[in-house]
């Protein structure tokens, strides 16, 4: 496989400036850089027994990740699909993430993506577009595994990004990095934040591009995000968030048939959100209004414009000793159009208030018990109203041991995708989509978190998900008359086991195993077994991060909204990566030069049949901080 090594003029200039860097930046030689956990930052459960996995900006850096799929590729319970080194082609096998087998339905999806609590996805087709989600400027990515009604509604799972905020002390700080390497890949990222008195700000900008490892495997990502915050008094604050993302990806086509070769997919998204928050002794909350709009355009193909507006209200109360009440309201209005085929959407509106209550009871022997219950109601302006509930229990012995059980019900409404398909296949489907209800998920999970020492943590999760009332369109003889119907039920049972270990100040190790078993034998992007491992090491100015993944053979391509069976599969694979950095104090406390090797063992693998991923490739870069 041909290897290319190209670097941007910016990267060359920064490398040339290294010897003279002391002129503009100084940092003490004895600064201590704390080594980050490998692969993921942590698993955690809240008082409602909700479970999540968190990947922070430090893991993103150690994984040398340019986009969201790369940042989550080693996360237990998560599978990815892609066929370009940079950029996602559409919202399906060209670039997507899946959580425990959820998220493969197209159009529409069982998972949603958020930035600071704002839903940010392709509203017309009701599924995520990963290129709309920048990594620079983000403090962490949270993978919400299963319905958690006190967090998000109208979804079976979520990937929630949280932006970086300014430090508590006055002053300005930031980072800038540039890297480049194989296949003409170049990436540049800038994060700056600051605080002065009651005002704070944050600015992030990023660019990434690549010629790709195959002809027509090009990709380009551009994004900018800004925040401005003001502390009104000791309890109240206000914050404005604005973001723009503009991207292009090209389909390299099937390597044998050349099908789809050279097709392009462009995405653009704008997000604007205003938040008023308060923090009192026993009451904390926020009120957020937001607007997102943008488009996805396939050439040749359709251009789809989306616009979503709404609000998020959250309140958390501690009205009695050990008690916690969470309540709120989500309001979303989803609209858009597909001008290529003359479709203009009538807005869909979903209102969903919720309340959840937990109470911590102190038991003997240092144990505590925290039972919880919650309910969320959905009111839809076109489709049937729904309700969902959850119940949980956490038994904990301090920070050492915690056992949790949660049962919850997920609700996922059909989106405008059903209306678009009805328009495209008129008059056969008519308005049958308006008779649909929501898809449902019954989720059961039992988990154990054990920390036998301060250096060791083990997490085990056993779960069962039953998907019911999946919506599809069908024709005779599968149904008596053409139209949208709810048809099909399937189960996904699984196990997740993770282990994290610190060894002194120099080593961090991680291993995570996920086993999935579905009653739907052709469920896509749900490998039966996947294993992720990672090792971080630091000694003096040197820092190394190695990660690897093994997964078994899996079915691919999206689950169509029709009566169909997925038959395409890709072989199992094992892929390893390595990143090596050398600290340069003259470039700031976190300044370094680094090199990263992707697919270290030069393995052949693919996430779609006929779309081989890159072989061994190299990137080198430099990072400065202030």
């Amino acid at each position: 496989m041909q290897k290319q090594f190209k670097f941007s003029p910016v990267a060359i200039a920064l490398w040339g400036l290294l010897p003279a860097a002391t002129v503009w930046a100084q940092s003490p030689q004895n600064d201590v850089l704390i080594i980050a956990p490998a692969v993921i930052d942590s698993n955690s459960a809240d008082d409602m027994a909700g479970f999540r996995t968190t990947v922070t900006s430090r893991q993103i850096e150690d994984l040398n990740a340019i986009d969201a799929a790369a940042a989550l590729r080693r996360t237990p319970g998560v599978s990815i699909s892609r066929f370009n080194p940079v950029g996602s082609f559409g919202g399906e096998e060209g670039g997507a993430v899946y959580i425990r087998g959820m998220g493969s339905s197209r159009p529409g999806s069982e998972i949603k993506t958020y930035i600071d609590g704002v839903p940010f996805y392709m509203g017309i087709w009701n599924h995520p577009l990963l290129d709309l989600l920048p990594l620079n400027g983000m403090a962490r990515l949270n993978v919400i595994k299963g319905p958690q009604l006190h967090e998000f509604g109208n979804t079976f799972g979520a990937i929630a990004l949280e932006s970086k905020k300014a430090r508590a002390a006055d002053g300005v700080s930031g980072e800038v990095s540039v890297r480049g390497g194989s296949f003409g890949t170049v990436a540049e990222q800038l994060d700056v934040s600051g605080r002065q008195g009651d005002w704070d700000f944050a600015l992030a900008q990023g660019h990434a591009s690549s010629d790709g490892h195959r002809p027509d495997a090009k990709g380009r990502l551009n994004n900018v995000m800004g925040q401005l915050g003001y502390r009104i008094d000791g309890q109240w604050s206000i914050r404005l968030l604005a973001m723009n993302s503009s991207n292009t990806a090209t389909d390299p086509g099937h390597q044998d048939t050349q099908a789809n070769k050279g097709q392009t997919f462009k995405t653009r998204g704008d997000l604007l959100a205003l938040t008023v928050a308060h923090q009192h002794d026993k009451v904390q909350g926020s009120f957020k209004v937001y607007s997102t709009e943008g488009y996805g355009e396939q050439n040749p193909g359709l251009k789809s414009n989306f616009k979503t507006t709404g609000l998020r209200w959250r309140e958390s109360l501690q009205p009695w000793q050990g008690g916690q009440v969470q309540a709120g309201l989500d309001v979303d209005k989803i609209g858009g159009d597909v001008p290529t085929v003359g479709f203009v959407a009538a807005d869909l509106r979903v209102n969903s208030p919720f309340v959840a209550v937990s109470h911590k009871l102190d038991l003997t022997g240092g144990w505590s018990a925290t039972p919880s219950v919650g309910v969320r109601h959905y009111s839809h302006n076109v489709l049937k109203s729904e309700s969902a509930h959850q119940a949980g229990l956490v038994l904990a012995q301090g920070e050492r041991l915690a056992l949790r059980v949660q049962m919850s019900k997920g609700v996922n409404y059909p989106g405008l995708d059903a209306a678009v398909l009805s328009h495209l296949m008129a008059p056969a489907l008519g308005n049958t989509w308006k008779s649909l209800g929501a898809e449902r998920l019954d989720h059961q999970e039992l988990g154990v978190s054990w920390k036998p020492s301060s250096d060791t943590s083990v997490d085990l999760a056993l779960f069962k998900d039953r998907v019911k009332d999946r919506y599809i369109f069908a024709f005779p003889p599968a149904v008596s008359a053409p139209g949208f119907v709810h048809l099909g039920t399937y189960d996904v049972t699984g196990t997740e086991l993770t282990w994290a270990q610190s060894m002194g100040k120099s080593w961090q190790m991680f291993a995570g195993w996920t086993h999935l078993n579905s009653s739907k034998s052709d469920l896509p992007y749900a490998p039966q077994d996947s294993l992720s491992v990672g090792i971080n090491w630091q000694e003096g100015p040197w820092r190394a991060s190695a990660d690897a993944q093994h997964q078994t053979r899996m079915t691919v391509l999206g689950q169509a909204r029709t009566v169909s069976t997925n038959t395409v599969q890709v072989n199992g694979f094992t892929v390893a990566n390595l990143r090596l950095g050398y600290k340069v104090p003259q470039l700031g406390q976190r300044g370094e030069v680094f090199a990263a090797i992707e697919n270290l063992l030069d393995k052949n693998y693919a996430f779609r049949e006929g779309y081989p991923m890159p072989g061994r490739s190299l990137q080198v870069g430099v990072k400065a901080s202030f």
Side-chain angles (χ1 to χ4, degrees):
M1 185 174 293
Q2 185 180 7
K3 306 291 190 299
Q4 301 180 38
F5 299 89
K6 298 181 182 179
F7 302 93
S8 72
V10 177
I12 295 172
L14 281 173
W15 278 95
L17 285 173
L18 285 177
T22 54
V23 174
W24 60 271
Q26 293 289 335
S27 180
Q29 295 289 333
N30 60 354
D31 281 341
V32 176
L33 184 62
I34 300 174
I35 188 169
V39 180
I40 68 169
D41 179 75
S42 62
N43 292 314
S44 59
D46 58 23
D47 288 345
M48 306 294 172
F51 187 62
R52 69 174 60 193
T53 299
T54 299
V55 175
T56 71
S57 58
R58 292 301 306 275
Q59 284 79 44
I60 292 171
E61 179 178 276
D62 289 338
L63 292 167
N64 197 48
I66 291 177
D67 56 24
L72 296 170
R73 66 192 177 199
R74 303 292 185 256
T75 303
V78 174
S79 299
I80 72 165
S81 65
R82 67 182 318 157
F83 41 66
N84 290 4
V86 170
S88 298
F89 191 92
E92 198 174 335
E93 62 270 8
V97 295
Y98 312 91
I99 303 173
R100 294 177 173 176
M102 304 297 165
S104 59
S105 291
R106 291 295 187 273
S109 176
E110 303 92 358
I111 64 174
K112 287 187 171 61
T113 50
Y114 301 82
I115 294 179
D116 283 355
V118 173
F120 198 34
Y121 63 101
M122 167 50 77
I124 279 285
W125 296 106
N126 198 29
H127 62 230
L129 291 176
L130 290 190
D131 282 352
L132 297 183
L133 307 175
L135 292 184
N136 52 298
M138 296 300 164
R140 61 187 56 84
L141 290 76
N142 295 308
V143 181
I144 311 298
K145 300 178 177 180
Q148 297 182 25
L149 306 181
H150 59 294
E151 294 279 1
F152 303 106
N154 196 21
T155 184
F156 293 166
I159 295 174
L161 285 68
E162 297 181 21
S163 63
K164 294 178 180 178
K165 306 296 191 298
R167 297 175 180 175
D170 284 357
V172 178
S173 62
E175 293 182 358
V176 59
S177 68
V178 179
R179 74 190 94 163
S182 302
F183 322 124
T185 300
V186 174
E188 166 267 324
Q189 295 180 335
L190 170 69
D191 294 333
V192 181
S193 63
R195 185 181 299 275
Q196 183 61 50
D198 293 328
W199 291 91
D200 69 87
F201 77 94
L203 176 67
Q205 174 271 329
H207 166 81
S209 62
S210 178
D211 296 333
H213 61 299
R214 300 171 57 201
D216 291 317
K218 297 179 181 179
R220 186 187 74 244
L221 309 176
N222 290 291
N223 54 79
V224 61
M225 179 175 65
Q227 297 184 67
L228 183 63
Y230 179 69
R231 186 170 52 205
I232 300 171
D233 56 28
Q235 287 77 41
W236 290 87
S237 63
I238 187 169
R239 178 171 301 278
L240 179 67
L241 168 68
M243 193 187 81
N244 169 266
S245 179
S246 179
N247 320 283
T248 302
T250 306
D251 189 335
H254 192 284
Q255 65 177 350
D256 297 326
T257 67
Q258 304 301 304
N260 302 322
K261 179 178 172 61
Q263 293 187 5
T264 61
F265 193 83
K266 297 181 179 180
T267 57
R268 197 214 76 208
D270 298 299
L271 184 154
L272 188 65
L274 179 66
T275 304
V276 177
H278 68 93
Q279 184 86 20
H280 293 81
D281 287 343
K282 293 188 177 181
V283 183
Q284 308 83 39
S286 64
F287 184 85
K288 186 191 306 283
V289 291
Y290 76 88
S291 175
T292 70
E293 61 180 334
Y295 67 82
E297 181 179 12
Q298 185 169 344
N299 187 18
L302 303 177
K303 180 178 181 180
S304 304
N305 301 301
F306 68 89
K307 182 176 178 61
T308 305
T309 58
L311 63 87
R312 292 291 187 272
W313 171 53
R314 297 288 186 272
E315 294 294 336
S316 181
L317 303 84
Q318 300 80 46
W320 64 85
Q321 183 68 31
Q324 176 88 355
V325 179
Q326 298 184 45
L329 171 68
D330 295 349
V331 176
D332 299 303
K333 184 173 74 171
I334 306 156
D337 60 78
V338 186
T340 315
V341 296
F343 174 81
V344 179
D347 291 342
L348 299 182
R349 294 188 300 276
V350 184
N351 302 331
S352 57
F354 72 91
V355 62
V357 181
S358 66
H359 178 70
K360 183 177 180 180
L361 300 165
D362 291 325
L363 307 177
T364 60
W367 285 85
S368 66
T370 307
S372 62
V373 294
V375 64
R376 183 184 282 260
H377 179 74
Y378 298 87
S379 176
H380 200 289
N381 69 320
V382 176
L383 307 181
K384 300 174 183 177
S385 296
E386 303 280 354
S387 292
H389 56 268
Q390 69 181 35
L393 175 65
V394 178
L395 294 172
Q397 188 182 47
E399 298 295 325
R400 181 175 178 270
L401 181 64
L403 296 88
R404 57 185 172 82
V405 60
Q406 187 190 57
M407 295 178 290
S408 59
K409 177 181 176 181
V411 165
N412 182 46
Y413 273 106
L416 286 169
D417 54 297
V420 178
L421 292 174
S422 294
H423 176 84
L424 292 174
M425 288 180 276
L429 298 182
N431 286 320
T432 57
W433 72 275
K434 293 184 179 181
S435 65
L436 292 173
E439 296 179 311
R440 306 166 188 269
L441 175 68
D442 290 334
H443 174 74
Q444 303 171 38
E445 183 158 344
L446 175 67
V448 179
S449 297
W450 180 43
K451 295 182 179 179
S453 71
S454 60
D455 297 327
T456 306
S457 63
V458 179
D459 284 286
L460 172 65
L462 307 174
F463 56 89
K464 179 178 180 179
D465 292 326
R466 168 161 286 191
V467 177
K468 301 186 295 186
D469 297 330
R470 185 172 182 267
Y471 68 93
I472 66 170
F473 62 90
F475 299 91
V479 292
S480 58
F484 273 94
V485 296
H486 290 290
L487 187 66
T489 297
Y490 64 91
D491 296 337
V492 179
T493 59
T495 303
E496 281 182 19
L497 177 63
T498 65
W499 164 76
Q501 180 71 47
S502 299
M503 295 185 64
K505 296 181 179 180
S506 296
W507 295 89
Q508 290 276 356
M509 293 174 286
F510 173 85
W513 169 65
T514 303
H515 175 78
L516 297 176
N517 181 30
S518 175
S519 63
K520 181 176 171 60
S521 61
D522 66 333
L523 184 66
Y525 300 104
Q528 187 173 46
D529 290 286
S530 57
L531 175 68
S532 298
V533 296
I535 299 176
N536 287 358
W537 167 83
Q538 180 176 305
E539 189 67 40
W542 291 98
R543 183 162 68 101
S545 302
D547 65 84
Q549 179 186 24
H550 169 78
Q551 70 177 48
T552 55
R553 185 179 183 87
M554 67 178 178
T555 301
V556 296
L557 306 185
Q559 294 188 87
R561 295 287 180 183
T562 59
V563 180
S564 61
T565 301
N566 289 63
T567 59
V568 180
Q569 293 188 332
V570 295
N571 292 325
F573 59 81
T574 301
V575 179
N577 305 315
L578 176 66
R579 184 185 187 276
L580 183 65
Y582 184 82
K583 185 179 179 183
V584 181
Q586 292 82 3
L587 293 178
Q589 183 175 355
R590 298 195 64 216
E592 66 171 354
V593 294
F594 62 89
I597 303 176
E598 302 278 336
N599 195 358
L600 181 65
L601 304 178
D602 202 26
K603 295 293 187 178
N604 295 320
Y605 73 105
F607 296 105
R608 178 178 178 180
E609 186 273 330
Y611 282 75
M613 290 298 294
R616 185 184 298 116
S617 60
L618 171 69
Q619 292 180 19
V620 296
V622 57
K623 181 180 68 175
S625 69
F626 57 91

